[in-house]
Amino acid sequence: MADYVIAPPAIAAVPVRGGGSFPVRRIFCVGRNYAEHAREMGHDPDREAPFYFMKPADSMILDGGDMPYPPMTKDLHHEMELVVAVGAGGIDIAESDALKHVWGYCAGLDMTRRDLQGEAKKAGRPWDMGKGFDQSAPMGELMPAGSFDPSKGKIELRVNGQVRQSSDLAKLIWSVPEVIANLSRLVRLEAGDLIMTGTPEGVAAVVRGDVLEGMIEGVGTVRTRIV
Protein backbone atom coordinates (compact mmCIF):
# COMPACT_ATOMS: atom_id res chain seq x y z
CA MET A 1 0.00 0.00 0.00
CA ALA A 2 1.34 3.44 -0.96
CA ASP A 3 2.45 5.65 1.91
CA TYR A 4 0.42 8.76 1.02
CA VAL A 5 1.06 11.86 3.12
CA ILE A 6 -2.55 13.01 2.62
CA ALA A 7 -5.71 11.06 1.92
CA PRO A 8 -5.94 10.28 -1.83
CA PRO A 9 -8.79 12.02 -3.68
CA ALA A 10 -11.98 10.14 -4.41
CA ILE A 11 -12.34 8.59 -7.86
CA ALA A 12 -14.74 10.56 -10.06
CA ALA A 13 -17.27 8.30 -11.77
CA VAL A 14 -20.42 8.36 -13.90
CA PRO A 15 -23.29 5.96 -13.10
CA VAL A 16 -23.99 3.36 -15.76
CA ARG A 17 -27.48 2.47 -16.91
CA GLY A 18 -28.29 -0.92 -15.50
CA GLY A 19 -25.85 -0.65 -12.60
CA GLY A 20 -22.24 0.08 -11.79
CA SER A 21 -20.08 3.15 -12.32
CA PHE A 22 -17.58 4.25 -14.97
CA PRO A 23 -14.42 5.75 -13.40
CA VAL A 24 -13.36 8.98 -15.09
CA ARG A 25 -9.69 9.79 -15.71
CA ARG A 26 -9.78 12.94 -17.85
CA ILE A 27 -12.40 15.04 -19.67
CA PHE A 28 -11.42 16.32 -23.13
CA CYS A 29 -13.71 18.83 -24.89
CA VAL A 30 -13.84 19.63 -28.60
CA GLY A 31 -14.28 23.31 -29.41
CA ARG A 32 -16.62 24.67 -32.10
CA ASN A 33 -17.64 21.34 -33.63
CA TYR A 34 -21.01 22.43 -35.11
CA ALA A 35 -20.98 24.94 -37.97
CA GLU A 36 -23.87 27.09 -36.71
CA HIS A 37 -22.37 27.32 -33.23
CA ALA A 38 -19.03 28.36 -34.75
CA ARG A 39 -20.85 31.12 -36.66
CA GLU A 40 -22.76 32.34 -33.61
CA MET A 41 -19.41 32.63 -31.80
CA GLY A 42 -17.99 34.66 -34.70
CA HIS A 43 -15.78 32.02 -36.31
CA ASP A 44 -15.41 30.34 -39.72
CA PRO A 45 -16.97 26.84 -39.52
CA ASP A 46 -14.97 25.35 -42.39
CA ARG A 47 -13.12 22.19 -41.40
CA GLU A 48 -10.25 23.72 -39.49
CA ALA A 49 -8.30 21.14 -37.50
CA PRO A 50 -10.17 20.25 -34.30
CA PHE A 51 -8.90 21.81 -31.08
CA TYR A 52 -9.39 20.78 -27.48
CA PHE A 53 -9.62 22.04 -23.93
CA MET A 54 -10.11 20.10 -20.71
CA LYS A 55 -12.23 19.95 -17.60
CA PRO A 56 -11.17 18.26 -14.35
CA ALA A 57 -12.77 14.88 -13.74
CA ASP A 58 -14.12 16.13 -10.42
CA SER A 59 -16.00 19.00 -12.13
CA MET A 60 -18.84 16.58 -12.92
CA ILE A 61 -22.32 16.87 -11.43
CA LEU A 62 -24.19 13.59 -11.61
CA ASP A 63 -27.57 13.53 -13.35
CA GLY A 64 -30.25 15.41 -11.48
CA GLY A 65 -27.88 17.18 -9.11
CA ASP A 66 -28.18 20.92 -8.62
CA MET A 67 -25.48 23.20 -10.05
CA PRO A 68 -24.48 26.15 -7.87
CA TYR A 69 -24.19 29.37 -9.86
CA PRO A 70 -20.40 29.79 -10.01
CA PRO A 71 -18.50 32.77 -8.61
CA MET A 72 -16.78 35.50 -10.64
CA THR A 73 -19.25 35.50 -13.53
CA LYS A 74 -22.39 37.28 -14.65
CA ASP A 75 -22.77 35.30 -17.89
CA LEU A 76 -23.13 31.54 -17.33
CA HIS A 77 -23.94 29.67 -20.55
CA HIS A 78 -25.21 26.17 -21.33
CA GLU A 79 -23.68 23.94 -24.02
CA MET A 80 -25.44 20.62 -24.69
CA GLU A 81 -23.14 17.80 -25.88
CA LEU A 82 -22.77 14.12 -26.74
CA VAL A 83 -20.15 12.61 -24.41
CA VAL A 84 -18.03 9.64 -25.48
CA ALA A 85 -16.58 7.30 -22.83
CA VAL A 86 -13.31 5.62 -23.84
CA GLY A 87 -13.07 1.99 -22.77
CA ALA A 88 -9.84 0.95 -24.47
CA GLY A 89 -6.83 3.23 -24.76
CA GLY A 90 -4.49 3.76 -27.64
CA ILE A 91 -2.33 6.12 -29.64
CA ASP A 92 -2.53 6.82 -33.39
CA ILE A 93 -5.92 5.11 -33.51
CA ALA A 94 -7.17 4.59 -37.05
CA GLU A 95 -10.47 6.27 -37.84
CA SER A 96 -11.83 2.92 -39.03
CA ASP A 97 -11.06 1.39 -35.61
CA ALA A 98 -12.07 4.34 -33.45
CA LEU A 99 -15.51 3.15 -32.35
CA LYS A 100 -13.96 -0.10 -31.06
CA HIS A 101 -12.35 2.04 -28.34
CA VAL A 102 -15.70 3.44 -27.13
CA TRP A 103 -17.28 1.96 -24.01
CA GLY A 104 -20.41 4.09 -24.04
CA TYR A 105 -22.14 7.44 -24.42
CA CYS A 106 -24.03 9.93 -22.31
CA ALA A 107 -25.62 13.35 -22.50
CA GLY A 108 -23.64 16.14 -20.88
CA LEU A 109 -23.47 19.90 -20.40
CA ASP A 110 -20.35 21.99 -20.87
CA MET A 111 -21.24 24.93 -18.62
CA THR A 112 -19.22 28.03 -19.45
CA ARG A 113 -18.40 31.29 -17.71
CA ARG A 114 -18.69 33.11 -21.04
CA ASP A 115 -17.49 36.47 -19.77
CA LEU A 116 -14.30 34.95 -18.34
CA GLN A 117 -13.75 32.94 -21.52
CA GLY A 118 -14.22 36.07 -23.64
CA GLU A 119 -11.76 38.07 -21.54
CA ALA A 120 -9.19 35.27 -21.82
CA LYS A 121 -9.61 35.10 -25.61
CA LYS A 122 -9.07 38.84 -25.98
CA ALA A 123 -5.93 38.67 -23.85
CA GLY A 124 -4.58 35.59 -25.62
CA ARG A 125 -4.74 33.62 -22.38
CA PRO A 126 -5.95 30.06 -21.61
CA TRP A 127 -9.67 29.43 -21.14
CA ASP A 128 -9.29 27.23 -18.06
CA MET A 129 -11.24 29.42 -15.65
CA GLY A 130 -14.00 29.95 -18.19
CA LYS A 131 -14.47 26.23 -18.81
CA GLY A 132 -12.85 24.06 -16.15
CA PHE A 133 -14.33 25.46 -12.96
CA ASP A 134 -15.93 23.49 -10.13
CA GLN A 135 -19.18 21.67 -11.00
CA SER A 136 -19.05 22.79 -14.64
CA ALA A 137 -19.90 19.40 -16.20
CA PRO A 138 -23.35 17.96 -15.46
CA MET A 139 -23.49 14.39 -16.81
CA GLY A 140 -26.34 12.01 -17.49
CA GLU A 141 -26.33 8.27 -17.02
CA LEU A 142 -23.81 6.42 -19.20
CA MET A 143 -25.23 4.04 -21.80
CA PRO A 144 -23.08 1.12 -23.02
CA ALA A 145 -22.24 1.64 -26.70
CA GLY A 146 -24.02 -1.43 -28.02
CA SER A 147 -25.21 -0.75 -31.56
CA PHE A 148 -25.64 3.01 -31.12
CA ASP A 149 -24.58 5.00 -34.20
CA PRO A 150 -23.10 8.38 -33.13
CA SER A 151 -23.28 9.75 -36.68
CA LYS A 152 -26.93 10.79 -36.31
CA GLY A 153 -29.63 11.50 -33.78
CA LYS A 154 -31.47 14.47 -32.32
CA ILE A 155 -29.67 16.55 -29.68
CA GLU A 156 -31.76 19.06 -27.74
CA LEU A 157 -31.73 21.23 -24.63
CA ARG A 158 -34.74 22.79 -22.93
CA VAL A 159 -34.52 25.51 -20.28
CA ASN A 160 -37.63 25.76 -18.12
CA GLY A 161 -39.44 23.66 -20.72
CA GLN A 162 -38.54 25.92 -23.66
CA VAL A 163 -36.27 24.63 -26.45
CA ARG A 164 -32.94 26.47 -26.49
CA GLN A 165 -30.75 24.13 -28.55
CA SER A 166 -31.97 21.64 -31.17
CA SER A 167 -29.85 19.94 -33.82
CA ASP A 168 -28.63 16.56 -35.02
CA LEU A 169 -25.38 14.66 -34.43
CA ALA A 170 -25.14 14.42 -38.22
CA LYS A 171 -24.14 18.10 -38.17
CA LEU A 172 -20.91 17.52 -36.25
CA ILE A 173 -18.06 19.05 -38.28
CA TRP A 174 -15.71 16.33 -37.02
CA SER A 175 -17.43 12.99 -36.43
CA VAL A 176 -16.86 10.88 -33.33
CA PRO A 177 -14.41 8.50 -35.12
CA GLU A 178 -12.53 11.47 -36.59
CA VAL A 179 -12.25 13.14 -33.19
CA ILE A 180 -10.98 9.97 -31.51
CA ALA A 181 -8.41 9.39 -34.26
CA ASN A 182 -7.22 13.01 -34.20
CA LEU A 183 -7.03 13.29 -30.41
CA SER A 184 -5.13 10.00 -30.16
CA ARG A 185 -2.39 11.49 -32.32
CA LEU A 186 -1.95 14.29 -29.78
CA VAL A 187 -2.15 12.24 -26.56
CA ARG A 188 -2.45 8.59 -25.67
CA LEU A 189 -6.11 7.99 -24.88
CA GLU A 190 -6.75 5.79 -21.88
CA ALA A 191 -9.71 3.83 -20.55
CA GLY A 192 -11.70 6.21 -18.37
CA ASP A 193 -11.28 9.26 -20.59
CA LEU A 194 -14.40 11.19 -21.57
CA ILE A 195 -14.67 13.27 -24.76
CA MET A 196 -17.30 16.02 -24.96
CA THR A 197 -17.87 16.35 -28.69
CA GLY A 198 -19.09 19.94 -29.06
CA THR A 199 -22.34 21.88 -28.88
CA PRO A 200 -24.84 23.01 -31.51
CA GLU A 201 -26.11 26.55 -31.92
CA GLY A 202 -28.38 28.23 -29.41
CA VAL A 203 -26.04 28.67 -26.46
CA ALA A 204 -27.32 31.33 -24.06
CA ALA A 205 -27.19 32.52 -20.48
CA VAL A 206 -28.95 30.88 -17.54
CA VAL A 207 -29.75 32.24 -14.09
CA ARG A 208 -30.52 30.85 -10.64
CA GLY A 209 -33.72 28.84 -10.64
CA ASP A 210 -33.45 27.72 -14.28
CA VAL A 211 -33.99 24.01 -14.93
CA LEU A 212 -31.92 22.54 -17.78
CA GLU A 213 -33.11 19.31 -19.41
CA GLY A 214 -31.13 17.85 -22.27
CA MET A 215 -31.64 14.77 -24.41
CA ILE A 216 -29.83 12.87 -27.13
CA GLU A 217 -31.85 10.45 -29.21
CA GLY A 218 -30.78 6.88 -28.53
CA VAL A 219 -28.50 7.88 -25.65
CA GLY A 220 -30.37 9.47 -22.78
CA THR A 221 -30.89 12.65 -20.83
CA VAL A 222 -29.18 15.08 -18.49
CA ARG A 223 -30.87 17.40 -16.01
CA THR A 224 -29.70 20.07 -13.58
CA ARG A 225 -31.12 23.10 -11.80
CA ILE A 226 -29.10 26.28 -11.31
CA VAL A 227 -29.14 27.28 -7.63
Side-chain angles (χ1 to χ4, degrees), residues 152-172:
K152 59 184 178 180
K154 186 176 183 179
I155 177 171
E156 184 174 274
L157 179 71
R158 293 175 180 262
V159 178
N160 302 325
Q162 300 298 312
V163 175
R164 285 276 191 92
Q165 294 183 268
S166 186
S167 189
D168 196 284
L169 300 177
K171 295 184 178 181
L172 282 165

Side-chain angles (χ1 to χ4, degrees), residues 28-200:
F28 296 98
C29 307
V30 186
R32 297 197 295 264
N33 202 22
Y34 285 80
E36 291 307 317
H37 174 59
R39 291 189 182 100
E40 75 180 353
M41 299 303 291
H43 297 280
D44 185 345
D46 290 342
R47 277 171 65 95
E48 61 180 350
F51 69 95
Y52 308 92
F53 57 92
M54 297 183 71
K55 289 177 179 278
D58 66 2
S59 68
M60 295 188 301
I61 301 173
L62 301 185
D63 191 34
D66 290 344
M67 178 186 175
Y69 196 95
M72 303 298 291
T73 185
K74 295 180 180 179
D75 196 21
L76 176 66
H77 280 211
H78 57 72
E79 297 192 5
M80 179 66 196
E81 311 207 3
L82 172 68
V83 184
V84 177
V86 177
I91 193 167
D92 289 326
I93 296 169
E95 186 181 325
S96 58
D97 293 330
L99 295 184
K100 298 176 184 176
H101 292 257
V102 176
W103 192 92
Y105 302 92
C106 72
L109 287 162
D110 167 19
M111 302 303 291
T112 303
R113 293 192 284 201
R114 191 71 72 199
D115 43 2
L116 298 192
Q117 183 194 30
E119 291 166 8
K121 286 180 179 180
K122 289 178 182 177
R125 295 173 180 169
W127 299 0
D128 298 58
M129 293 301 99
K131 287 286 193 178
F133 54 94
D134 297 338
Q135 299 173 299
S136 61
M139 294 284 177
E141 196 175 50
L142 192 64
M143 178 196 75
S147 60
F148 175 69
D149 177 2
S151 70
K152 59 184 178 180
K154 186 176 183 179
I155 177 171
E156 184 174 274
L157 179 71
R158 293 175 180 262
V159 178
N160 302 325
Q162 300 298 312
V163 175
R164 285 276 191 92
Q165 294 183 268
S166 186
S167 189
D168 196 284
L169 300 177
K171 295 184 178 181
L172 282 165
I173 296 172
W174 293 91
S175 69
V176 169
E178 288 172 329
V179 166
I180 292 170
N182 178 267
L183 184 55
S184 75
R185 290 197 289 272
L186 294 166
V187 296
R188 179 181 176 84
L189 290 175
E190 298 289 358
D193 289 340
L194 298 183
I195 305 172
M196 303 189 76
T197 58
T199 194

